[in-house]
Amino acid sequence: MSKDKKYKLLLINPVSRYKRGMGMLISSTYPPVALGIIAALTPDHWDVKLIDENFDDFVFTEADLVAFTSFTASAPRVYEIAAIYKQHNIKTVYGGVHASLCPDEATNYVDVVVKGEAETIWAEILSDFENNNLKRVYDGTRCDPVKFPIPRYDLYNKKYKLHGIITSRGCPMNCDFCSVSVFSGTKQRLRDVDDILDEIEALPTKFFIFFDDNIIGYSQHGKERAIELFKGMVKRRLKKQWIAQVSLHVADEPEVLKWAAKSGCKILLIGIESEVSSGLKDVHKNLNLKIGVDNYKKSFKKIHKYGISVLGTFIFGLDSDTPQMLSNRRDYIIKSSVDTYQASILTPLPETPLYKKLEKEGRITKTNYPDDWEYYNVLEPVFKPNNMSGEEMINVMDDVWHSIYNRRTARKKFIRTFINTKSLVTAIWAYSSIYSYYNIVFEREILAKNPKYYKWLKKYSKKE
């Protein structure tokens, strides 16, 4: 077809109908970076529009081609919207983690499934569409080194306060519960530092998060690259404030922490998972085992020295967990010097080692796919725990969440963070993080008590 013809591409960021409400608060959401990258890779003879359900309810919009990406919990919403476009004979494309790991399922609901990284295959998909020659499945290869353009920030809702940057893909840790190594591979592939700095400089906001699973990598080269990146941010005087994910061994990298702090780091998200060795063994968290649970406190102190707070992620429902151990983990979170925290229920995401293990043992309880995928949101049990019933676990977790996500605990943590880091700004970041997790965990409880709250929330979000 002639390139003089204009086409309309509609990108959709779906949000699960099962879990909505508080999640739409701006402090709890991030722009759909993958869709922004796809938009940037789309040639000029395509007009691109984005519907983002973090802000706007879906309304049918005419297009020549519709593309989705989603995590597992939002997959049913993708299929729901795709069915509407199927009725209008408009082609749909679905990529991302869930589509890549469940392609046979996805082909039942959309016209085209993209497995793997779409950057390497997107131009071919558009060309095939223009020539009326679309395939059912496309296999995107892994970029090495990772090369992609700056996302189309102009398409994102202007009310986003926290943007995201990707500096690498792949993770060699291969934790049982994590889909990253399954989707992106076990080799970490690094972007060019100057490209990253250019993207940070182009951000429309002062605040951002590095989406990498480990910003400093797993080798000496990775650490040196991280320092180069942080020094570059200081040299360019970007004056941003940011969050990143790292492994616990960052505590033993003073040069990394020094330059991270100088470049604006306020929170480091660290996968703690469990405060006891048995729990770490359950999910093969070998790095934490090597460091030792008794050394957690020392590690947190080393990070605090640089004015950086610790966001610890904790998993509940490990095979060795008992109801009492869940309560013990709650007590550890409250008493420890972790500044903010994510307390989630172990969730077997598709194709992970954990999923295969639990499936083989016949312990997965939510199997009415694709509808049941919406329950795979890390806030409710979708499998039979080893030492308790699913109902018993959720009852304990209700107590855990109410204990750690409340004003009294948050205020105590705020004071402790301020004392440990000697930074009011860092303490505010950590406090805000606790508030964001509160929004996510208790959205349904709040809405159940006040069904009209959703309408008020939409108004509030628009004013933010």
Side-chain angles (χ1 to χ4, degrees):
M1 288 187 182
S2 170
K3 290 294 189 293
D4 293 333
K5 176 177 172 57
K6 275 283 188 179
Y7 297 93
K8 292 181 180 179
L9 172 65
L10 179 63
L11 304 173
I12 299 180
N13 182 37
V15 173
S16 171
R17 299 297 86 185
Y18 175 65
K19 184 169 176 51
R20 65 180 304 168
M22 295 302 291
M24 69 183 288
L25 277 178
I26 299 166
S27 59
S28 306
T29 57
Y30 311 112
V33 175
L35 295 180
I37 292 172
I38 289 299
L41 289 168
T42 302
D44 292 340
H45 62 282
W46 283 80
D47 287 328
V48 185
K49 180 176 181 179
L50 171 64
I51 293 179
D52 186 349
E53 289 201 302
N54 278 327
F55 291 92
D56 301 305
D57 290 332
F58 168 78
V59 176
F60 175 79
T61 303
E62 286 287 349
D64 294 300
L65 185 65
V66 179
F68 307 86
T69 188
S70 84
F71 294 109
T72 291
S74 298
R77 180 59 176 162
V78 170
Y79 302 150
E80 182 181 358
I81 298 175
I84 296 171
Y85 281 96
K86 186 174 183 178
Q87 293 173 357
H88 290 80
N89 295 315
I90 295 174
K91 297 294 184 183
T92 53
V93 181
Y94 183 25
V97 177
H98 188 80
S100 297
L101 301 184
C102 299
D104 292 340
E105 170 193 286
T107 53
N108 293 320
Y109 300 93
V110 298
D111 298 296
V112 177
V113 172
V114 182
K115 295 167 57 179
E117 296 176 2
E119 289 88 350
T120 60
I121 207 76
W122 184 242
E124 181 182 340
I125 293 171
L126 293 181
S127 176
D128 286 352
F129 173 83
E130 291 172 19
N131 291 287
N132 198 28
N133 192 33
L134 276 176
K135 303 180 184 70
R136 292 287 285 143
V137 177
Y138 289 83
D139 288 293
T141 57
R142 289 171 181 156
C143 313
D144 194 11
V146 176
K147 283 280 186 183
F148 46 78
I150 293 175
R152 286 275 306 275
Y153 291 117
D154 60 297
L155 294 177
Y156 299 150
N157 195 297
K158 300 300 186 291
K159 299 183 182 70
Y160 276 116
K161 293 184 177 180
L162 193 65
H163 281 260
I165 298 281
I166 300 170
T167 82
S168 68
R169 284 183 180 161
C171 177
M173 303 309 288
N174 206 23
C175 296
D176 273 15
F177 55 86
C178 185
S179 59
V180 171
S181 56
V182 181
F183 176 65
S184 298
T186 55
K187 177 184 177 183
Q188 190 178 39
R189 294 161 288 133
L190 308 175
R191 285 180 69 192
D192 179 77
V193 168
D194 284 333
D195 287 349
I196 301 165
L197 290 170
D198 289 343
E199 184 171 341
I200 295 173
E201 200 161 11
L203 286 172
T205 61
K206 182 180 179 179
F207 314 110
F208 72 93
I209 178 172
F210 284 114
F211 280 140
D212 307 72
D213 293 278
N214 189 349
I215 188 64
I216 70 169
Y218 307 89
S219 64
Q220 185 60 33
H221 173 63
K223 296 169 192 172
E224 292 171 355
R225 170 184 169 273
I227 293 171
E228 181 187 357
L229 173 60
F230 304 153
K231 284 183 175 179
M233 293 170 66
V234 174
K235 185 177 180 180
R236 292 199 189 191
R237 298 181 180 180
L238 299 182
K239 296 182 180 180
K240 304 285 187 179
Q241 295 179 13
W242 53 272
I243 306 171
Q245 299 182 65
V246 290
S247 294
L248 190 58
H249 73 287
V250 73
D252 296 319
E253 301 294 338
E255 193 72 3
V256 171
L257 290 170
K258 180 181 80 172
W259 285 102
K262 284 179 176 291
S263 64
C265 179
K266 299 304 173 188
I267 297 179
L268 288 177
L269 185 154
I270 299 174
I272 306 302
E273 321 313 359
S274 175
E275 79 292 355
V276 293
S277 297
S278 59
L280 299 177
K281 291 175 182 177
D282 287 339
V283 289
H284 298 102
K285 195 76 176 183
N286 297 322
L287 179 61
N288 287 21
L289 279 168
K290 184 177 180 181
I291 292 171
V293 295
D294 293 336
N295 290 316
Y296 281 176
K297 185 177 180 179
K298 293 179 182 177
S299 296
F300 302 153
K301 187 175 181 179
K302 290 177 182 178
I303 295 170
H304 287 149
K305 178 183 175 183
Y306 293 89
I308 299 171
S309 62
V310 175
L311 195 171
T313 64
F314 293 86
I315 297 178
F316 292 73
L318 303 168
D319 268 359
S320 59
D321 279 348
T322 63
Q324 183 59 52
M325 290 175 73
L326 300 184
S327 297
N328 292 346
R329 192 156 301 135
R330 170 205 61 198
D331 296 341
Y332 176 83
I333 291 172
I334 293 173
K335 295 175 183 177
S336 76
S337 55
V338 167
D339 304 284
T340 178
Y341 29 81
Q342 173 185 306
S344 57
I345 292 176
L346 184 68
T347 301
L349 296 172
E351 295 302 306
T352 58
L354 175 65
Y355 185 94
K356 292 178 180 179
K357 172 182 177 291
L358 295 178
E359 183 182 43
K360 184 178 180 181
E361 295 172 358
R363 293 169 57 193
I364 298 180
T365 56
K366 294 290 188 181
T367 57
N368 181 30
Y369 307 131
D371 291 349
D372 277 357
W373 289 129
E374 64 185 6
Y375 299 110
Y376 286 63
N377 54 39
V378 307
L379 292 177
E380 49 201 309
V382 297
F383 72 99
K384 170 66 174 70
N386 241 5
N387 301 307
M388 66 195 100
S389 67
E391 183 179 359
E392 187 174 11
M393 180 164 67
I394 201 63
N395 287 337
V396 176
M397 288 307 300
D398 187 60
D399 176 65
V400 168
W401 287 322
H402 278 91
S403 298
I404 65 176
Y405 296 123
N406 63 56
R407 289 183 180 178
R408 182 181 180 188
T409 302
R411 286 170 180 168
K412 286 183 177 180
K413 287 289 184 181
F414 173 83
I415 294 169
R416 181 180 289 183
T417 299
F418 177 57
I419 292 171
N420 288 340
T421 65
K422 299 179 175 59
S423 171
L424 179 60
V425 174
T426 297
I428 291 172
W429 268 79
Y431 183 87
S432 297
S433 174
I434 295 174
Y435 172 67
S436 292
Y437 282 116
Y438 165 82
N439 292 336
I440 294 167
V441 170
F442 292 117
E443 62 171 349
R444 286 197 300 277
E445 179 177 310
I446 293 171
L447 293 175
K449 290 179 180 178
N450 186 0
K452 295 181 180 179
Y453 189 75
Y454 175 65
K455 290 184 178 179
W456 174 87
L457 188 58
K458 289 190 73 175
K459 279 187 178 180
Y460 173 77
S461 293
K462 289 177 180 178
K463 291 178 182 178
E464 274 198 75

